[in-house]
Amino acid sequence: AAADALYLRLTWALSVVGLDGARAVLWHQGESDARAGTSAEQYAMQLDTLVRQSRNDAGWAVPWIVARVGFLPGTPQAAIDAVVQGQQSVIEADPLVYEGPETDDLLGDAWRYDQVHFNEAGLREHARRWNERIGVSMSVTRS
């Protein structure tokens, strides 16, 4: 239900900007999937379905930039790695899905106010990394 509501927000936003109106969807998600023990294959299948459905609903080939993230405190590293592998496999399989930032290294009080959510310094670094990856990705799409 919550996922449906979020997807409706995405499709609404794409409809508002119209055909070719968005430069890309920026995707930073995966932590709860890692916590749930989602396999790389399952995560990749679900993300690929989401990307394809968003393009179908938008009526054009919306580019996506996907962050490689999965960290939540107490989550086994193997589970985090599986989700990141799933993200990477979608990036590698779809020419209009680009590498977003990695943020699982931004750990501890210097970056997160509650060990999960970014504090001001974490948000600034997060934004800097997104800015860097968007620049790389958008230069690729224009070539």
Side-chain angles (χ1 to χ4, degrees), residues 4-53:
D4 292 340
L6 294 173
Y7 184 73
L8 288 174
R9 279 195 206 170
L10 173 62
T11 56
W12 173 81
L14 291 171
S15 73
V16 168
V17 298
L19 186 65
D20 294 325
R23 292 183 66 188
V25 171
L26 308 183
W27 186 255
H28 186 276
Q29 185 279 337
E31 301 90 341
S32 59
D33 291 283
R35 171 69 55 85
T38 305
S39 70
E41 296 77 18
Q42 184 179 10
Y43 187 92
M45 181 190 70
Q46 291 170 336
L47 181 55
D48 181 64
T49 298
L50 177 64
V51 170
R52 290 176 189 274
Q53 189 63 49

Side-chain angles (χ1 to χ4, degrees), residues 49-129:
T49 298
L50 177 64
V51 170
R52 290 176 189 274
Q53 189 63 49
S54 73
R55 292 172 178 164
N56 186 54
D57 290 342
W60 61 284
V62 181
W64 280 60
I65 307 175
V66 175
R68 278 79 45 78
V69 298
F71 172 79
L72 270 180
T75 304
Q77 189 62 46
I80 295 168
D81 293 345
V83 166
V84 172
Q85 182 184 5
Q87 294 158 345
Q88 190 65 42
S89 68
V90 173
I91 292 164
E92 291 171 4
D94 187 323
L96 288 176
V97 176
Y98 303 93
E99 287 186 341
E102 294 177 291
T103 59
D104 284 349
D105 63 320
L106 299 176
L107 302 176
D109 294 339
W111 304 111
R112 298 177 190 243
Y113 67 86
D114 61 0
Q115 303 308 309
V116 176
H117 301 95
F118 295 123
N119 59 22
E120 183 178 348
L123 287 171
R124 288 181 185 280
E125 179 60 16
H126 190 212
R128 188 196 67 74
R129 291 179 186 194

